[in-house]
Amino acid sequence: MGARPYDLILKGGRVLDPANRSDRISDVAVSNGRIAAVEKAIDPQLSERTTDVTGKLVLPGLIDTHAHIFEHVTGRFGLNPDSCGVRAGVSTLVDQGGPSLMTLPAFRHYISDPAHSRVLCFLSAYLVGGLEGHHYPQLYSPEDVDVKRTIEVGLANRDLVKGIKAHAEVGGKSRWGMEVIKKARDIARGVGVPLYIHLGQLWPEQGKGIDDPDTVIEELVPLMKEGDILAHPFTRHPGGFISSKTGELHPIIREGLDRGLRVDVGHGSHFSFEMAVKVIEAGIFPNTLGADMHGYNTNAGQVTASDREQNPFYGKTRFCLSHAMTELLALGMPLTDVVATVTSNAAAMLGIDDEAGSLTVGRLADIAVLDHLQGRFTLTDNSGASVTASEALSPVFSLRAGVRHEVDSPVVVDPQELAS
């Protein structure tokens, strides 16, 4: 037999591809790092290798829209990109606000270029970026934002820069009002990318503080436009989707979504089942899902700080992207919609849907293979609240541009450890 047309066939899996509205048992063939065929049955004689994935989910490569992977430069906050990426079953990572106009060259050279995962970023609006996870609020004042130069750097690096990151929360508002957010908005408009806004208290309030945390979201939403992103809808901290006065969804959230604002879970250690139930019962579902793992809430094999538990970003409950997907299932989102948050929706938000986010023939062969487990799994948040899930997702291996990567990262939560 002559040269075989395919390098690899993934045979017999449940191919779930929201972008193509496909959910069926199929074979997927890969050639030269790209999707070559998706068919009901492909002759294994046509491929150099065949992997049996019967009983498993075969998805477009997973996209984590909220990562902190500027390893070393952001101090103990930044994790290793491949520990959160391909070694955790994730093909693409977006560092949220780690690099700034001053540190983006280092991010490209030391993080994005050498990583086996695809690594992108939302550029920090602040000069210093995400040093130690924004632990020092004095570094994030309006005086520490250079609108003109950040636009220049963003435009010159559009292959990496897919958005602008800033924070709207009570600690910052007590110091500077909304001036930083207005500057971040101007940067995003100048670069032509979405503005991504952290919600939920980050810093202690200063002086007299603010009387009403709801004023943060009330003043923020009118500054945003279609395509901009509200992060952390399920935060347990004040100043988010849930009104501190009423305990219900703030009406301005629905107004913003009607204008085309998008919602990213940004899980992190502040994820709350109580808040998530309220938001979802109000009919608000996230568009995208980011894990928000970092050095104070995740074990990625790094050397941990002795004062880790005293850090304001500390979280003891383990999670990862696939675990966050399991939580969305437990909250009532259909599987196809959950998959869309980390594939087609995420790719569209990043403007990379011409090369990622689907299993369309000709696209890069970024593929995730997961186990879809049935049973009883106890899921817990950092508030101590628990829910019982009847199904769980667990990554088996991933392909990045056709290259197979085993799932062996310590960040991955094994659902069997949560079985009851």
Side-chain angles (χ1 to χ4, degrees):
M1 184 175 182
R4 303 184 186 191
Y6 306 134
D7 303 319
L8 171 68
I9 294 173
L10 300 177
K11 195 157 193 64
R14 178 185 174 186
V15 176
L16 181 50
D17 182 3
N20 289 310
R21 299 181 180 180
S22 175
D23 182 1
R24 62 180 184 272
I25 304 301
S26 297
D27 296 348
V28 179
V30 173
S31 180
N32 295 318
R34 295 191 173 272
I35 306 293
V38 181
E39 299 175 8
K40 183 176 180 180
I42 302 174
D43 184 352
Q45 296 296 317
L46 298 176
S47 178
E48 298 292 333
R49 291 174 293 129
T50 298
T51 300
D52 186 0
V53 290
T54 301
K56 302 186 185 304
L57 289 176
V58 179
L59 313 177
L62 304 187
I63 301 171
D64 185 342
T65 54
H66 194 131
H68 294 290
I69 48 173
F70 202 172
E71 191 175 20
H72 307 306
V73 175
T74 54
R76 294 167 292 184
F77 203 72
L79 300 175
N80 178 267
D82 287 334
S83 289
C84 301
V86 290
R87 293 179 54 213
V90 176
S91 296
T92 298
L93 300 158
V94 183
D95 189 294
Q96 281 294 343
S100 71
L101 71 90
M102 297 194 294
T103 60
L104 187 62
F107 182 80
R108 180 185 291 277
H109 183 73
Y110 293 110
I111 305 298
S112 184
D113 285 352
H116 295 289
S117 316
R118 180 198 285 111
V119 176
L120 307 170
C121 73
F122 273 39
L123 191 65
S124 176
Y126 316 102
L127 293 174
V128 296
L131 300 182
E132 275 298 328
H134 310 282
H135 183 49
Y136 302 98
Q138 64 269 28
L139 298 177
Y140 300 96
S141 72
E143 289 73 27
D144 295 296
V145 178
D146 184 335
V147 174
K148 180 176 182 294
R149 182 60 183 146
T150 306
I151 290 173
E152 291 172 353
V153 169
L155 288 171
N157 294 273
R158 283 288 283 111
D159 61 321
L160 287 186
V161 176
K162 302 302 180 182
I164 300 299
K165 171 73 180 293
H167 303 79
E169 51 81 57
V170 297
K173 188 173 188 296
S174 70
R175 290 167 170 81
W176 315 298
M178 301 299 283
E179 190 60 30
V180 171
I181 303 304
K182 292 175 182 177
K183 288 190 169 188
R185 172 203 60 189
D186 293 344
I187 295 169
R189 303 298 176 257
V191 180
V193 293
L195 177 63
Y196 185 103
I197 296 294
H198 167 107
L199 296 174
Q201 185 168 5
L202 181 67
W203 299 308
E205 294 178 62
Q206 180 173 275
K208 295 181 180 179
I210 60 176
D211 293 330
D212 182 3
D214 286 3
T215 59
V216 174
I217 197 80
E218 290 165 357
E219 294 181 30
L220 168 69
V221 169
L223 298 175
M224 303 178 75
K225 74 168 191 175
E226 181 180 358
D228 288 343
I229 302 150
L230 296 166
H232 312 306
F234 307 148
T235 180
R236 56 194 170 98
H237 300 307
F241 277 34
I242 301 302
S243 167
S244 297
K245 295 192 292 286
T246 68
E248 302 298 331
L249 184 80
H250 196 295
I252 203 167
I253 295 296
R254 201 177 303 279
E255 175 189 318
L257 300 185
D258 289 343
R259 287 196 291 110
L261 300 189
R262 291 181 282 192
V263 179
D264 182 76
V265 171
H267 186 288
S269 53
H270 36 73
F271 171 90
S272 163
F273 279 117
E274 178 186 4
M275 296 301 180
V277 167
K278 288 184 176 183
V279 171
I280 288 175
E281 285 184 346
I284 307 298
F285 289 89
N287 305 104
T288 54
L289 172 61
D292 192 10
M293 293 185 287
H294 54 69
Y296 288 99
N297 66 22
T298 303
N299 172 22
Q302 76 276 21
V303 176
T304 56
S306 59
D307 61 347
R308 183 169 180 259
E309 294 188 17
Q310 281 69 55
N311 190 279
F313 309 118
Y314 173 69
K316 64 181 179 180
T317 302
R318 294 187 62 222
F319 63 95
C320 61
L321 188 64
S322 55
H323 183 74
M325 293 169 69
T326 295
E327 290 175 325
L328 291 185
L329 289 174
L331 288 163
M333 280 189 70
L335 177 61
T336 299
D337 293 345
V338 172
V339 171
T341 66
V342 291
T343 58
S344 54
N345 292 357
M349 185 259 278
L350 298 171
I352 60 171
D353 47 340
D354 60 339
E355 60 185 44
S358 77
L359 297 176
T360 302
V361 171
R363 300 284 167 84
L364 283 173
D366 288 359
I367 302 174
V369 177
L370 290 81
D371 280 325
H372 187 191
L373 306 171
Q374 307 298 316
R376 287 177 56 85
F377 308 94
T378 301
L379 315 177
T380 306
D381 66 21
N382 277 294
S383 301
S386 296
V387 302
T388 300
S390 60
E391 54 186 329
L393 300 173
S394 182
V396 180
F397 66 88
S398 65
L399 299 185
R400 167 73 182 112
V403 177
R404 176 168 172 155
H405 298 272
E406 301 303 327
V407 172
D408 61 1
S409 172
V411 307
V412 176
V413 179
D414 182 356
Q416 300 297 353
E417 296 176 5
L418 309 173
S420 56

